[in-house]
Amino acid sequence: MFKWLSLLAGFIYIVLGIVVIIYKFFGVVLEPNVAYALGALLIAYGIFRLVRAATSIKNKD
């Protein structure tokens, strides 16, 4: 169950990163450079979680 939740969290981080880049808002209005950096960081972390969960699911099955 945790592995599937980790997949879901990865997708949520990616979507949140895209939203931050597009709207430049994360609780407060962000400068464009900060929004791009934070969005990229969130997307990278989401991809990391997806890859880690996928390899964990693949190794168990």
Side-chain angles (χ1 to χ4, degrees):
M1 180 72 174
F2 176 75
K3 294 169 188 156
W4 295 104
L5 271 168
S6 187
L7 277 175
L8 179 64
F11 283 119
I12 290 172
Y13 276 113
I14 292 172
V15 169
L16 183 61
I18 293 169
V19 168
V20 167
I21 289 173
I22 292 173
Y23 293 110
K24 293 168 187 52
F25 183 80
F26 190 71
V28 295
V29 177
L30 300 171
E31 297 280 332
N33 293 337
V34 175
Y36 295 140
L38 180 60
L41 187 65
L42 288 168
I43 291 170
Y45 183 64
I47 292 170
F48 168 74
R49 286 197 62 140
L50 284 176
V51 169
R52 193 175 77 172
T55 56
S56 178
I57 290 171
K58 183 192 283 188
N59 289 339
K60 180 163 181 167
D61 295 341

